[in-house]
Amino acid sequence: MSSILKEEFGGWVKITLNRPNRLNALNAEMKAELLAAVTDCANDQTCRAVLLTGNGRGFCAGQDLDERKAGAGKAPMRFKEAVSAFYNPLATLIRTMEKPVVCAVNGVAAGAGANLALACDIVMAARSATFIQAFSNIGLVPDTGGSWLLPRLVGDARARALIMLGHPIDAEKAAQWGMIWEVVDDNLLAEEAIGLAKELAERPTRSLALCKKLLNEASQNSLSRQLELEAEGQDRMGKSVDYAEGVDAFLNKRKPVFRGR
Ligand code: T3D
């Protein structure tokens, strides 16, 4: 059984973390398969949206700690290399790929699993899901972008407490705090997340890609630089096929059919 399931639908792809007995903890095999699957989605022009979720009662419990058992004669773990080889490129790819990534958090999301979810563009969670910055519980620090993302999402005071205490936060509170987009009843999560992925896949993909880029860059830029980038963005998008279609559809009171061009 593969530790990652990749299913292609019309215009969008669903990636499912598939080690349910370990709450989808990330072992070496799963990491290689996940990075490959996300890379494929990023490079595939026919894929206009990605949905990431987990199989079973957990979304992802972060690094598989069975692989980190210390043992006599075992070489010391090279953490920097391990993080740089997987967690960093994965977070970067999700944040920068030119299409939206939806995360459906079906259960507990801990450590790198929590930050993997938060790196996605739109995060939906089942009411029973929890998020845990589990790193300091085992003497580590956040990775997968958590120390960058969390303060931006929930503010510095809440980010500090979440990171330093390693307490779980439930999905309702995560939504109230602005950490995620919304909470849905457990039995509706799959259906709602699929609806969202389909809707995004039918929207003007190039415009969404540029929206994502603008948002990514905003936190580093002055308002004047950001205004310039917005003007340049309108210039590019104003020449796109989808813009012409959007305006024509509006003027003719019909539903637009965007091609992602
Ligand atoms: O190493 C590097 O490369 C550096 C990068 C690190 C990135 C990280 O993600 S560090 C953080 C690693 N993750 C954690 O510390 C979380 C560990 N897990 C937990 O704290 C709890 O399992 C949860 C809070 C996530 C869920 O608790 P609960 O009570 O719902 O479930 P459970 O009984 O603890 O777990 C169910 C099974 O999954 C259990 O196995 P068993 O007893 O049924 O055979 C448990 O051992 C296993 N499991 C859960 N998390 C992991 C795991 N096995 C391996 N690695 C895990 N991370």
Side-chain angles (χ1 to χ4, degrees):
M1 190 174 66
S2 175
S3 59
I4 294 292
L5 306 177
K6 180 167 172 271
E7 297 166 274
E8 296 181 13
F9 299 92
W12 63 280
V13 171
K14 181 180 175 192
I15 297 175
T16 306
L17 309 178
N18 190 35
R19 295 184 72 222
N21 295 340
R22 312 313 287 162
L23 301 179
N24 301 316
L26 294 149
N27 67 358
E29 177 195 272
M30 190 185 205
K31 290 199 273 192
E33 289 182 11
L34 178 58
L35 197 51
V38 176
T39 304
D40 279 354
C41 290
N43 294 336
D44 177 357
Q45 298 297 312
T46 67
C47 167
R48 294 170 61 188
V50 180
L51 170 59
L52 176 65
T53 193
N55 192 5
R57 75 173 178 91
F59 169 68
C60 176
Q63 170 62 42
D64 187 320
L65 296 176
D66 287 335
E67 288 188 344
R68 297 292 180 262
K69 270 180 202 147
K74 234 180 151 183
M77 178 61 208
R78 298 160 91 93
F79 287 95
K80 186 172 177 191
E81 279 85 342
V83 171
S84 305
F86 172 73
Y87 294 105
N88 290 358
L90 182 66
T92 305
L93 194 55
I94 289 173
R95 284 311 271 192
T96 59
M97 75 163 78
E98 294 180 328
K99 57 201 73 176
V101 183
V102 173
C103 186
V105 183
N106 52 297
V108 62
N115 295 336
L116 168 61
L118 300 184
C120 297
D121 295 301
I122 302 185
V123 187
M124 208 179 233
R127 207 166 293 285
S128 66
T130 52
F131 295 82
I132 313 176
Q133 291 295 315
F135 307 92
S136 67
N137 295 346
I138 55 168
L140 288 181
V141 297
D143 58 24
T144 323
S147 61
W148 190 92
L149 288 163
L150 259 187
R152 286 170 168 80
L153 291 168
V154 301
D156 189 68
R158 286 168 170 165
R160 277 172 200 257
L162 288 170
I163 287 170
M164 290 187 181
L165 293 170
H167 291 176
I169 174 175
D170 64 37
E172 294 275 5
K173 193 180 263 188
Q176 275 165 22
W177 284 7
M179 196 196 286
I180 62 170
W181 161 242
E182 69 173 4
V183 182
V184 297
D185 289 338
D186 288 28
N187 60 335
L188 296 180
L189 180 72
E191 184 187 321
E192 297 267 338
I194 287 171
L196 201 54
K198 274 185 180 164
E199 180 180 342
L200 287 163
E202 288 173 3
R203 291 184 63 75
T205 311
R206 285 186 59 206
S207 141
L208 301 190
L210 201 46
C211 293
K212 188 163 167 170
K213 192 167 186 311
L214 283 170
L215 289 164
N216 284 345
E217 292 180 8
S219 59
Q220 319 294 335
N221 286 336
S222 63
L223 174 61
S224 60
R225 176 67 188 135
Q226 200 64 18
L227 288 168
E228 259 176 54
L229 290 176
E230 288 178 358
E232 286 166 20
Q234 294 305 42
D235 203 46
R236 280 174 57 195
M237 289 305 105
K239 294 172 188 138
S240 69
V241 173
D242 281 343
Y243 170 68
E245 167 64 7
V247 174
D248 187 70
F250 175 78
L251 296 176
N252 288 295
K253 301 192 187 305
R254 65 175 174 82
K255 193 173 175 294
V257 180
F258 294 118
R259 308 275 177 208
R261 287 186 274 129

